[in-house]
Amino acid sequence: MTNALQSIIEHYFPLDTVNTEPVPFGLTNTTCFVTVNDQKYVARHYDRYTKSAESLHLEMEVTSFLLRSALSFSIPSFLPTQNGDLYVKLLDGTMGALVSYIQGTPPPLQTPDDAYLFGRVVGEVSARLSEYKRPKDINYDGIQFTDLYRLHPLASAENVASFWKRPPFPVTDEQKHFYYEALISVETNREALLSLPRQLVHHDLLVFNLLSVDRCITGVLDFDFLAVDISFLEFVISLNHVLQMSGGSLEMAAAFIEGYAVFRTCSSEELLQLRTLTRLYHIAVLHIYIGQYGAGKDNSTAFAYIANQLIERDNWLEHNKSHLEGLLLPLFRKETL
């Protein structure tokens, strides 16, 4: 446990009354489990570059809204400090908090039934977030993925260009080519993208941020990248995850879409931008990784994974366009009935 986590925890409980253990997940923030009198919590020390006071306030406001909603799963709630605050600000300016613990482990994504349940949860989250109305005293909407050079303070346009000009770790010519082609596609379609419906988007609904017990999804985690953004991005990001985890299985994609359609539909304009939005997602993640690397994180392996995923997904979408259009019809038909 880091000194920062210790400093955060002692704002909630005396250190001699707690037991801590490492958390086997989390790439952005530093976290650990905290147990006090058989009650378990999760302590977070937020990354100084990707978590501002404004984004933390937004997360607390939105999770409070979701906790008041009728959901089929749980989400973490913020625990007040001994002084009644909902988070801790450390001397170095970074922040931390304790949140409730939710029982479970990441759900499997191996069968069509798994993909269907995953799709239902993604659709449910998206549907509930679409109902959120920002209070007048909150003037922050998060950072949308179309703001590609604001996603990390160290990933400005200048820094990103410098990275690609002289990569600090091996990057293949193919990875560079697909990145630039994707960037051109996004910039060319920017006006059409910005005209699509917008709402709050989680941006990171992967199975790694879900919890399940006996194949039933019990929790949704990590609202760090909440922002008002293109609504259909939620579907695009999670569909990409299904395809990645299943090796491009059309059967798994169909099951995911069927589950998602329980709660959400989409328009023909959104469907037309699916490939461009998939490219946008990968560029956004690569830019975040460029910023994180600049901040001292050795994420070269993760960067290569996403760069290769961009190549694989873009090729898959091109080769399976007609098949996917058929699978997506239930979303469109429900809208037009």
Side-chain angles (χ1 to χ4, degrees):
M1 181 173 61
T2 67
N3 290 335
L5 282 172
Q6 288 183 330
S7 298
I8 292 164
I9 294 168
E10 65 184 1
H11 280 79
Y12 296 85
F13 304 106
L15 288 178
D16 59 359
T17 67
V18 308
N19 292 314
T20 63
E21 57 184 300
V23 172
F25 52 80
L27 296 175
T28 302
N29 305 312
T30 305
T31 57
C32 71
F33 290 130
V34 178
T35 303
V36 182
N37 297 326
D38 297 324
Q39 184 70 43
K40 204 167 188 177
Y41 306 94
V42 179
R44 298 175 180 165
H45 180 212
Y46 293 103
D47 183 276
R48 68 170 60 249
Y49 293 103
T50 56
K51 200 66 170 181
S52 64
E54 292 83 2
S55 65
L56 184 52
H57 287 151
L58 177 65
E59 180 181 351
M60 291 189 296
E61 168 65 26
V62 173
T63 54
S64 177
F65 161 77
L66 291 174
L67 286 166
R68 299 191 302 269
S69 305
L71 300 171
S72 66
F73 49 82
S74 300
I75 62 169
S77 59
F78 285 82
L79 185 73
T81 68
Q82 296 179 65
N83 292 330
D85 300 319
L86 287 178
Y87 69 96
V88 176
K89 187 171 183 178
L90 301 179
L91 294 177
D92 65 358
T94 59
M95 299 173 296
L98 253 67
V99 298
S100 59
Y101 170 79
I102 301 171
Q103 183 69 36
T105 57
L109 193 52
Q110 300 169 343
T111 70
D113 285 344
D114 297 333
Y116 174 83
L117 292 175
F118 179 45
R120 275 188 62 106
V121 168
V122 174
E124 184 176 356
V125 171
S126 182
R128 296 291 82 78
L129 288 178
S130 72
E131 299 168 355
Y132 173 77
K133 305 297 182 184
R134 189 185 69 185
K136 293 182 179 179
D137 60 343
I138 294 182
N139 296 314
Y140 181 77
D141 282 334
I143 301 176
Q144 58 188 331
F145 275 19
T146 46
D147 285 343
L148 289 170
Y149 302 104
R150 291 183 57 234
L151 292 168
H152 193 286
L154 301 182
S156 63
E158 181 181 1
N159 288 350
V160 169
S162 177
F163 173 92
W164 286 106
K165 186 176 181 179
R166 292 185 180 85
F169 48 77
V171 174
T172 68
D173 289 341
E174 186 181 28
Q175 289 169 344
K176 286 183 181 180
H177 170 75
F178 270 83
Y179 168 80
Y180 283 119
E181 287 295 309
L183 187 61
I184 291 170
S185 171
V186 168
E187 291 174 345
T188 301
N189 288 279
R190 176 170 290 275
E191 185 175 342
L193 294 178
L194 295 180
S195 70
L196 295 177
R198 299 164 61 80
Q199 65 166 76
L200 267 178
V201 177
H202 183 286
H203 282 128
D204 204 18
L205 283 178
L206 316 180
V207 292
F208 312 119
N209 287 329
L210 305 179
L211 295 171
S212 70
V213 176
D214 296 330
R215 289 185 117 86
C216 176
I217 296 176
T218 56
V220 175
L221 311 174
D222 291 349
F223 290 79
D224 274 325
F225 293 102
L226 267 177
V228 175
D229 208 339
I230 298 166
S231 173
F232 199 50
L233 260 176
E234 202 83 273
F235 171 86
V236 168
I237 291 168
S238 298
L239 173 64
N240 172 77
H241 185 55
V242 171
L243 293 170
Q244 185 68 17
M245 297 289 284
S246 67
S249 167
L250 288 168
E251 183 182 17
M252 292 285 282
F256 169 80
I257 292 166
E258 183 183 356
Y260 179 85
V262 172
F263 290 94
R264 297 304 307 260
T265 62
C266 67
S267 67
S268 57
E269 290 78 12
E270 288 170 317
L271 290 179
L272 283 173
Q273 297 300 330
L274 188 149
R275 188 175 181 185
T276 304
L277 287 171
T278 303
R279 289 168 168 169
L280 171 66
Y281 164 65
H282 287 93
I283 296 171
V285 176
L286 290 174
H287 282 198
I288 292 170
Y289 283 171
I290 288 171
Q292 289 179 343
Y293 188 86
K297 290 189 177 182
D298 182 9
N299 59 3
S300 57
T301 300
F303 184 95
Y305 179 84
I306 294 298
N308 289 333
Q309 183 178 269
L310 166 60
I311 297 169
E312 180 180 347
R313 190 64 52 244
D314 205 60
N315 286 333
W316 189 96
L317 289 172
E318 180 180 3
H319 296 149
N320 293 277
K321 181 180 178 181
S322 59
H323 294 294
L324 186 59
E325 287 176 350
L327 297 181
L328 290 166
L329 282 177
L331 296 181
F332 183 64
R333 283 176 176 168
K334 288 184 68 174
E335 181 195 59
T336 57
L337 287 177

